[in-house]
Amino acid sequence: MGRYLAAKSEADHYDRELRREQEEIDTIPDSEAAELAEILAEYGVEPHELFR
């Protein structure tokens, strides 16, 4: 039962985060694009490299 509840809680959290991110993309797309660029920069990917 404990494993089920842990997995359910994790899935619920993932779903909430996904919905929150989707809402932010719709409402503040520029901020979300900047956030994505920051994350990708940590991996050495520059934004202009994405649209070649």
Side-chain angles (χ1 to χ4, degrees):
M1 182 67 159
R3 286 184 184 181
Y4 168 78
L5 292 175
K8 174 89 169 93
S9 177
E10 186 175 339
D12 290 345
H13 174 73
Y14 177 84
D15 288 340
R16 281 192 307 274
E17 287 297 306
L18 180 60
R19 282 193 305 273
R20 183 180 63 81
E21 289 295 335
Q22 288 172 335
E23 177 69 21
E24 289 176 355
I25 289 168
D26 291 338
T27 59
I28 51 173
D30 292 338
S31 294
E32 285 300 293
E35 182 181 336
L36 180 58
E38 273 184 40
I39 292 167
L40 292 175
E42 292 176 10
Y43 293 94
V45 177
E46 296 297 323
H48 67 274
E49 293 178 13
L50 297 175
F51 301 105
R52 285 187 182 174

